[in-house]
Amino acid sequence: MPLNKLITLAEAVRQHTWDGMQYASGAALPVGSDAIAFGRELLRQQRRGLHAIFHANTQQLNLLAAAGAVTQAECGFSGLEGFGFANGLRRAIEQGKVVLEDFSNLAMALRLLAGALNWPFVPATVNIGSDLQYRRAFEPNVHPNPNKIPSLTDPFSGRQIGAFAPLRPDLAAIHVTLADQEGNAIMLGTEWSRFELSRAAKRVVLLADAIVHTDCMRQYPNLVRIPGIIVEAVVYCPFAAWPQASPGMYDVDEAHMKAMNQALGSDDGTAAYVRDYVESYADLDGYLDLIGRERIAELSHGATAFLLDPYRRWLLPHAEALAMTTAARA
Amino acid sequence: MPLNKLITLAEAVRQHTWDGMQYASGAALPVGSDAIAFGRELLRQQRRGLHAIFHANTQQLNLLAAAGAVTQAECGFSGLEGFGFANGLRRAIEQGKVVLEDFSNLAMALRLLAGALNWPFVPATVNIGSDLQYRRAFEPNVHPNPNKIPSLTDPFSGRQIGAFAPLRPDLAAIHVTLADQEGNAIMLGTEWSRFELSRAAKRVVLLADAIVHTDCMRQYPNLVRIPGIIVEAVVYCPFAAWPQASPGMYDVDEAHMKAMNQALGSDDGTAAYVRDYVESYADLDGYLDLIGRERIAELSHGATAFLLDPYRRWLLPHAEALAMTTAARA
Amino acid sequence: MSTDYRRQEMMAIATGREIRDGELAIFGVGLSMLAGYFAQAHHAPRVRAMTEGGVYGATPVGGLPWGIECNRLAVNAMSFTSALDALGCLVASGRCDVGIIGAAQVDRFGNVNTTGIWDGPIGASYRPPKTRLTGAGGANDIACGAKRYLIMVSHEPKRFVDRVSYITSPGYLDGGDAREQLGFVGSGPSAIITTLGILRPDPQTHEFQLDAYFAFSGIEEILANTGWDLKMAADVRVVPEPSAEELAALRRVDETGMLRR
Amino acid sequence: MSTDYRRQEMMAIATGREIRDGELAIFGVGLSMLAGYFAQAHHAPRVRAMTEGGVYGATPVGGLPWGIECNRLAVNAMSFTSALDALGCLVASGRCDVGIIGAAQVDRFGNVNTTGIWDGPIGASYRPPKTRLTGAGGANDIACGAKRYLIMVSHEPKRFVDRVSYITSPGYLDGGDAREQLGFVGSGPSAIITTLGILRPDPQTHEFQLDAYFAFSGIEEILANTGWDLKMAADVRVVPEPSAEELAALRRVDETGMLRR
């Protein structure tokens, strides 16, 4: 009998998170796949003092920073791409509420790779020679800082390069397009660094837009870049990345992206956003109601919907995925 | 108009190989995907003095070593898994005709990764403390050898680890299941280290069991682990890995695996094998005749054939793939 | 020549002209993507375009993508891999021919700041910026690894400073051979393309100097908008205005009219 | 108890008994795969089996696979990744609970040679072996990284040597804390399971000593087949013979009868 790792989002946060932990997500992109719904639940359960490891900022980090749940963060990009600056994260940094350690996007991927491989360091041929190397927000009084990206000598050429420290977050909440009950997962769209993150983190919880039968994985094993053997729990969560995009599943919700970022630009706006979009729903169906059934239908019929076609025959209906989650809790 | 990179196997070897080059293939497994047909053509064109970079030995390296085309080799495994020792490679090493530098299988993957990333070295937490570190076949008179896997100090912990040298072969001939004319490629079965090799090599030539329309790649972009932008040429070559397996395409040819390895166990046997299975065919159709149409049919209907099902609608018929190759040469 | 075009369109076209056919090129989101895909639509049909997310072979559809994983770009990709692959194997490795990055601030040696704006120098002790920007993203990786790269930036005095307060992406650092000494595989910024003209580095000092100005601009306007004593190249020239074909190609790419606002 | 079984079957069952349910386990091709899948079929249904090729969730069908990419294993995998992932992220990282490796030679400290057989010590200058073997494969990576590993080897004097001529995969090296000093994440070989019995390391000296022998064997036979002065554990015992359930499970896995030849 296959394992059933399906649990509710609330249960996943209860079991796998704690105040002050190193929490990783956003190993996707500011406008793409990220387990934002997990961040909402972190706020609902009032987690605080998080050390956030996000390859690039997303609306999740933007929200967690604005709402005061994060005190330290490390990322390679702190904006929202085409949607501009990330107002929540930006304000928190400017006000000194979040200390952000800067790296580049490649550096973050390499640090996750080093965590995955359990290396003591990973060679750095980028970020050296710039203030990414010399300035360390976590150790502000040392300049130029020799500890953030220390120099080291290549034993073959004698040439100096740098070294990045590995990342091994306590938990990674990873958005995937499709997962089965054992935690085998398929991502559509760029992996960004979800593969490396899934190996670097001490625990992995998946948020899947849809649950599929394991037969789907056996048909497409080369697509299963995250195997169940490294996954603790699976949460069935349609629109887990909303308002961001999930290629093949749904488009970016442009209106909500803008409204959310605008709200996070002020304390009042943030409070209203948390009230209306974080604390307002009781369960998964309530969350989907909040997004709006019409909007869901509209966002789901974008130009990339064809990317999902090969897998549709294995998608479990909503009620069945919910029932399996209940069964797993019993 | 899409680029057409399809050329014949003979043309690929003429254009992209030379005596004494660092030649890589076998970034698959001893019994799995490898561009063995490319090795046959290397012998047909009498390439010599090759420095072979094979993640693990395959029947290709076994044959090239037996036939005297290789003088240096680096690999992580020198056997044939369930088929026993690799008689051709083994004899060549024992007779001093091939100097083999030993690493582990992870070491070879890491060295390819380092080549791909253009790192000066890659951290080694394996192979250290054993004779893989202390014995260097390419520098036999230094013991214990400090240059093969030199020690280096982790700048964070002060702990000693090792360093592997990167691999950047002049050419990689890579077996893939499916490719389009631009060189976008899908591998079914483990990648082993074909992904890393495709980025580490200075030039990449693909040997594809089948050619598909580019629409197939656009339907499954997450499966396209080797994009055309890094590929020099594509060779349409059904049964390119024969007698080894290509998951989804054909099973291992057990009888030929055994007979081939037995033949490579003696000089006479090798000469006969080269005569009968290397120099005996004029073109692709002749090669397929040599394998035998009945055997092809039998090997093609194995238990993994279902893995190919999703892509069958985009497979170009044999005549069309051949015609595109001709067109590309004109 | 067409005279009915915006300054931003001229900047995008001038940038696109720097991209050659067949090159492996990395574009960010926004202006740089428009410039790159303009080149593909106009004179570089076989440019091998990639993003730092590992999106290969895609052409945007339905307007400028909101991000690298925007479905406008995901819709027709031929391959999706990862950041490690794109920024590591293809860019930091030295394989990528050309990249395009933006800048909040750029200085005389082509160093770029996209991290933050401080009131004055940061000082010995790091402190939060007055205005936090977007950070390095992949720009530092492009600046270190791409064979050459282009900087696109609006030509304003606050952006063209003598010395950026934070080097996010290294240009030629302190000039001369300062960059070379770090051993980067990439050779540095080959041009700064602005809303007024084009600056290129002196081959020895690596100080950026005025190479050319746009027809609607001039040396005086450029000097007035540059925060350092900008030197002139030996043969400062006028950049040819967009041809009708260029403008048509750019507007096909910029179908939502971002550059015409 | 069943008495109708072969020595190789006893070895496979004794090895499989070392595998616990739920463990992340890496098996090679051949004997070690049979032992591992026997454990899965018998007492460890949720063992998380992997190969060094990055084949996850597969159970062999149609007989013992010829190799890691054999279609007998590829036929029902749930995930295919890569060697870097399997041997690097999951094994060398220290994540894998248990591995099984084979040996051409093994010595008193559990060091394994699968590289070659020389006539005498290699000496100061490296030279080709008289008999070339298969090299390290993934065994060195398992020996360095797996939390513990098992060595399966036929019990013959030529294989059980005082000191292997070439250490392909490190056991406890020179014994004592020699291994610890190298800082491997894996803690070394926990047992050598042979065709005659089971050897385990002394916790301090890390020298392997006889822990138990099979019902068809005995201390004398084992001593006669061991090339060093094998010490005895305090309580050398007889290994329980295969139960009918164990033998049935093993033979379901070994459907082509490799162990019964």
Side-chain angles (χ1 to χ4, degrees):
Chain A
M1 198 189 73
L3 285 170
N4 184 351
K5 298 181 185 171
L6 278 160
I7 60 176
T8 63
L9 185 51
E11 191 58 32
V13 168
R14 256 192 301 279
Q15 282 182 24
H16 297 292
T17 71
W18 57 90
D19 288 354
M21 78 185 308
Q22 273 205 6
Y23 167 64
S25 192
L29 287 155
V31 180
S33 294
D34 180 38
I36 305 175
F38 197 91
R40 292 182 208 267
E41 188 64 30
L42 284 170
L43 291 182
R44 286 159 65 97
Q45 297 192 25
Q46 304 187 315
R47 291 286 179 264
R48 284 295 181 273
L50 300 176
H51 180 149
I53 309 281
F54 277 60
H55 184 160
N57 171 64
T58 66
Q59 286 283 32
Q60 183 183 178
L61 178 56
N62 199 19
L63 171 62
L64 290 172
V70 170
T71 50
Q72 289 181 293
E74 301 182 53
C75 64
F77 181 75
S78 53
L80 281 175
E81 296 185 276
F83 294 98
F85 294 111
N87 292 329
L89 179 61
R90 182 181 196 170
R91 282 196 309 129
I93 294 168
E94 289 168 3
Q95 293 168 7
K97 293 176 180 166
V98 166
V99 180
L100 177 75
E101 194 67 87
D102 273 293
F103 288 90
S104 74
N105 277 342
L106 176 57
M108 293 299 285
L110 291 174
R111 296 178 68 205
L112 291 169
L113 177 71
L117 289 162
N118 200 8
W119 285 347
F121 70 91
V122 57
T125 62
V126 298
N127 295 18
I128 56 177
S130 69
D131 284 312
L132 295 178
Q133 180 175 34
Y134 303 135
R135 294 288 186 181
R136 187 180 187 195
F138 292 168
E139 193 182 25
N141 296 326
V142 183
H143 179 73
N145 194 298
N147 304 319
K148 181 180 171 188
I149 307 174
S151 289
L152 125 156
T153 305
D154 166 31
F156 294 104
S157 69
R159 180 185 143 201
Q160 289 282 111
I161 64 161
F164 294 122
L167 290 168
R168 290 193 200 91
D170 294 313
L171 171 70
I174 301 180
H175 173 259
V176 299
T177 316
L178 308 172
D180 70 7
Q181 61 177 358
E182 299 185 49
N184 298 293
I186 290 176
M187 297 171 273
L188 302 181
T190 166
E191 291 178 358
W192 192 233
S193 62
R194 286 177 281 177
F195 180 89
E196 290 82 12
L197 177 59
S198 70
R199 274 72 174 169
K202 292 172 189 158
R203 304 176 184 208
V204 172
V205 172
L206 301 181
L207 269 72
D209 283 325
I211 305 299
V212 292
H213 195 279
T214 292
D215 287 350
C216 178
M217 307 309 179
R218 295 200 191 277
Q219 180 66 65
Y220 293 104
N222 282 92
L223 281 177
V224 181
R225 298 276 296 163
I226 302 180
I229 55 171
I230 59 168
V231 171
E232 294 288 324
V234 181
V235 176
Y236 166 56
C237 187
F239 277 73
W242 175 79
Q244 296 184 187
S246 177
M249 274 287 181
Y250 42 89
D251 283 340
V252 65
D253 184 339
E254 297 176 20
H256 195 84
M257 284 295 284
K258 290 172 185 169
M260 179 175 181
N261 196 35
Q262 188 175 5
L264 301 182
S266 70
D267 287 341
D268 287 352
T270 300
Y273 188 85
V274 169
R275 183 193 64 220
D276 296 344
Y277 290 100
V278 173
E279 294 170 346
S280 59
Y281 49 90
D283 56 15
L284 180 57
D285 285 317
Y287 169 73
L288 297 173
D289 289 339
L290 181 72
I291 298 173
R293 301 294 172 163
E294 275 180 42
R295 190 178 300 188
I296 282 177
E298 182 191 322
L299 294 172
S300 302
H301 291 90
T304 64
F306 77 96
L307 288 175
L308 193 67
D309 288 346
Y311 322 103
R312 290 189 197 276
R313 54 187 280 215
W314 288 289
L315 296 182
L316 296 194
H318 181 68
E320 197 173 328
L322 280 182
M324 282 180 60
T325 301
T326 310
R329 289 168 69 195
Chain B
M1 199 187 73
L3 286 170
N4 184 350
K5 297 180 184 170
L6 278 161
I7 60 176
T8 63
L9 185 52
E11 191 58 31
V13 169
R14 257 193 300 278
Q15 282 182 27
H16 297 293
T17 71
W18 58 91
D19 288 355
M21 78 185 308
Q22 272 206 6
Y23 168 64
S25 192
L29 287 154
V31 180
S33 293
D34 180 37
I36 305 175
F38 198 91
R40 293 181 207 268
E41 188 63 31
L42 284 170
L43 290 182
R44 286 157 65 97
Q45 297 192 25
Q46 304 188 313
R47 292 285 180 264
R48 284 295 181 273
L50 300 176
H51 180 149
I53 309 281
F54 277 60
H55 184 161
N57 171 63
T58 66
Q59 286 284 30
Q60 182 183 180
L61 178 57
N62 199 20
L63 172 61
L64 289 172
V70 170
T71 51
Q72 290 181 294
E74 301 183 53
C75 63
F77 181 75
S78 53
L80 280 176
E81 297 185 275
F83 294 98
F85 295 111
N87 293 329
L89 178 62
R90 181 181 196 170
R91 283 196 309 129
I93 295 167
E94 289 168 4
Q95 295 168 6
K97 292 176 181 169
V98 166
V99 180
L100 177 75
E101 194 67 88
D102 274 293
F103 288 90
S104 75
N105 277 342
L106 176 58
M108 292 300 285
L110 291 174
R111 296 178 69 206
L112 291 169
L113 177 72
L117 290 162
N118 200 7
W119 285 347
F121 71 91
V122 57
T125 61
V126 297
N127 294 19
I128 55 176
S130 70
D131 283 312
L132 295 178
Q133 179 175 32
Y134 303 134
R135 294 287 185 181
R136 187 180 188 196
F138 292 168
E139 194 181 25
N141 297 325
V142 183
H143 179 72
N145 194 298
N147 304 317
K148 182 180 169 186
I149 306 174
S151 289
L152 124 159
T153 306
D154 166 31
F156 294 104
S157 69
R159 179 187 144 200
Q160 289 282 113
I161 63 160
F164 294 122
L167 290 169
R168 291 194 200 89
D170 294 313
L171 171 70
I174 301 180
H175 174 259
V176 298
T177 316
L178 307 171
D180 70 6
Q181 60 178 358
E182 299 185 49
N184 298 294
I186 291 176
M187 296 171 275
L188 302 181
T190 165
E191 291 178 359
W192 192 232
S193 62
R194 285 177 282 178
F195 180 88
E196 291 80 12
L197 176 60
S198 71
R199 275 69 173 170
K202 291 172 188 156
R203 305 175 183 208
V204 171
V205 172
L206 301 180
L207 269 72
D209 282 326
I211 305 299
V212 292
H213 195 279
T214 291
D215 287 350
C216 178
M217 306 309 177
R218 295 200 191 278
Q219 180 66 65
Y220 293 105
N222 283 90
L223 282 177
V224 181
R225 299 275 296 162
I226 302 180
I229 55 171
I230 59 167
V231 171
E232 295 287 324
V234 181
V235 175
Y236 166 57
C237 187
F239 277 74
W242 176 78
Q244 295 182 188
S246 176
M249 275 286 180
Y250 42 90
D251 283 340
V252 65
D253 183 340
E254 297 175 20
H256 196 83
M257 284 294 285
K258 291 173 185 167
M260 180 175 180
N261 195 35
Q262 188 175 6
L264 301 181
S266 70
D267 286 341
D268 287 352
T270 300
Y273 189 85
V274 169
R275 182 192 65 219
D276 296 343
Y277 289 100
V278 173
E279 292 170 347
S280 60
Y281 48 90
D283 56 15
L284 181 57
D285 285 317
Y287 169 74
L288 297 173
D289 289 339
L290 181 72
I291 299 172
R293 301 295 171 161
E294 274 181 39
R295 191 178 300 187
I296 282 178
E298 182 192 321
L299 294 173
S300 302
H301 291 90
T304 64
F306 77 95
L307 289 174
L308 193 68
D309 288 345
Y311 321 105
R312 290 188 197 278
R313 54 186 282 215
W314 288 289
L315 297 182
L316 297 194
H318 182 66
E320 198 172 328
L322 281 182
M324 282 180 58
T325 301
T326 310
R329 289 168 70 194
Chain C
M1 299 296 167
S2 168
T3 50
D4 183 18
Y5 60 88
R6 305 290 173 91
R7 291 182 166 205
Q8 294 227 100
E9 291 183 316
M10 182 72 245
M11 175 165 67
I13 287 169
T15 304
R17 288 172 182 166
E18 303 277 322
I19 311 278
R20 297 187 279 263
D21 201 18
E23 289 191 317
L24 183 58
I26 185 162
F27 310 141
V29 165
L31 281 181
S32 95
M33 196 175 271
L34 289 172
Y37 282 109
F38 151 70
Q40 185 183 54
H42 181 255
H43 59 272
R46 288 178 175 177
V47 69
R48 293 170 293 153
M50 56 180 280
T51 74
E52 61 185 89
V55 177
Y56 305 117
T59 308
V61 170
L64 188 67
W66 290 104
I68 287 165
E69 207 183 15
C70 183
N71 285 347
R72 288 176 177 175
L73 199 56
V75 66
N76 61 11
M78 279 193 282
S79 170
F80 292 127
T81 62
S82 68
L84 183 67
D85 182 39
L87 287 173
C89 300
L90 301 186
V91 174
S93 66
R95 190 165 199 156
C96 179
D97 295 300
V98 60
I100 308 177
I101 73 173
Q105 286 186 327
V106 63
D107 68 21
R108 66 166 74 219
F109 294 118
N111 301 302
V112 164
N113 174 18
T114 52
T115 300
I117 305 295
W118 283 261
D119 43 359
I122 300 175
S125 190
Y126 185 78
R127 56 197 169 94
K130 193 170 54 124
T131 305
R132 171 71 203 190
L133 305 172
T134 58
N140 177 283
D141 310 315
I142 292 169
C144 294
K147 284 179 189 154
R148 69 181 196 284
Y149 68 96
L150 310 166
I151 302 167
M152 288 178 85
V153 57
S154 180
H155 213 136
E156 304 162 36
K158 68 173 184 182
R159 294 180 184 276
F160 279 73
V161 297
D162 189 57
R163 178 72 178 186
V164 293
S165 42
Y166 185 107
I167 298 182
T168 311
S169 300
Y172 297 103
L173 299 162
D174 297 321
D177 66 349
R179 181 185 169 96
E180 213 178 314
Q181 284 185 2
L182 281 162
F184 292 124
V185 66
S187 59
S190 61
I192 302 172
I193 293 124
T194 83
T195 38
L196 299 178
I198 301 172
L199 281 61
R200 294 190 197 274
D202 175 87
Q204 255 64 55
T205 66
H206 289 119
E207 181 172 328
F208 274 82
Q209 51 193 25
L210 186 65
D211 181 70
Y213 54 86
F214 297 144
F216 52 75
S217 176
I219 292 175
E220 275 177 40
E221 185 179 357
I222 287 172
L223 286 175
N225 281 284
T226 304
W228 76 81
D229 52 323
L230 183 67
K231 296 195 178 77
M232 301 291 123
D235 53 344
V236 177
R237 59 194 175 83
V238 181
V239 177
E241 289 188 85
S243 69
E245 292 73 24
E246 284 178 322
L247 213 50
L250 177 64
R251 288 176 180 175
R252 281 199 305 278
V253 170
D254 182 25
E255 74 173 85
T256 45
M258 176 179 161
L259 297 175
R260 297 192 295 282
R261 266 169 223 143
Chain D
M1 299 296 166
S2 169
T3 50
D4 183 20
Y5 60 90
R6 305 288 173 90
R7 291 182 166 205
Q8 294 228 98
E9 290 183 316
M10 182 71 245
M11 175 166 67
I13 286 169
T15 304
R17 286 173 181 164
E18 304 277 321
I19 310 278
R20 298 188 278 263
D21 201 18
E23 288 192 315
L24 182 58
I26 185 162
F27 309 142
V29 165
L31 281 180
S32 95
M33 196 175 271
L34 288 172
Y37 282 109
F38 152 70
Q40 185 184 54
H42 181 257
H43 58 272
R46 287 180 175 175
V47 71
R48 295 170 291 152
M50 56 181 280
T51 74
E52 61 186 88
V55 178
Y56 305 116
T59 307
V61 169
L64 187 67
W66 290 104
I68 288 165
E69 206 183 17
C70 182
N71 286 347
R72 287 176 177 174
L73 200 56
V75 66
N76 62 10
M78 280 193 282
S79 169
F80 292 126
T81 63
S82 67
L84 183 67
D85 182 40
L87 287 173
C89 300
L90 301 187
V91 174
S93 66
R95 190 165 199 156
C96 179
D97 295 300
V98 60
I100 309 178
I101 71 174
Q105 286 186 327
V106 63
D107 67 23
R108 66 165 76 218
F109 294 118
N111 300 301
V112 165
N113 174 17
T114 53
T115 299
I117 305 296
W118 283 261
D119 42 359
I122 299 175
S125 191
Y126 184 78
R127 57 198 167 95
K130 192 169 54 123
T131 304
R132 171 72 202 188
L133 306 172
T134 58
N140 177 283
D141 310 315
I142 293 168
C144 294
K147 283 179 188 154
R148 70 181 194 285
Y149 68 97
L150 310 166
I151 302 167
M152 288 178 87
V153 58
S154 181
H155 214 134
E156 304 164 37
K158 67 171 185 183
R159 295 181 183 275
F160 280 73
V161 296
D162 188 58
R163 178 72 177 187
V164 293
S165 43
Y166 185 108
I167 298 181
T168 310
S169 300
Y172 297 103
L173 299 163
D174 297 322
D177 67 348
R179 181 185 168 96
E180 213 178 314
Q181 283 185 4
L182 280 161
F184 292 124
V185 66
S187 60
S190 60
I192 302 173
I193 294 123
T194 83
T195 38
L196 299 177
I198 301 173
L199 282 59
R200 295 191 197 272
D202 176 89
Q204 255 62 56
T205 65
H206 289 118
E207 181 172 328
F208 274 84
Q209 50 194 25
L210 186 65
D211 182 71
Y213 54 87
F214 298 144
F216 51 76
S217 175
I219 292 175
E220 274 176 43
E221 185 179 359
I222 287 172
L223 286 175
N225 282 284
T226 303
W228 74 82
D229 51 323
L230 183 67
K231 297 195 178 76
M232 302 290 122
D235 53 343
V236 177
R237 57 191 179 85
V238 180
V239 178
E241 289 188 87
S243 70
E245 291 73 26
E246 284 177 322
L247 213 51
L250 177 65
R251 288 176 180 175
R252 281 199 305 278
V253 170
D254 182 24
E255 74 174 86
T256 45
M258 176 178 159
L259 297 175
R260 298 191 296 282
R261 269 171 222 142

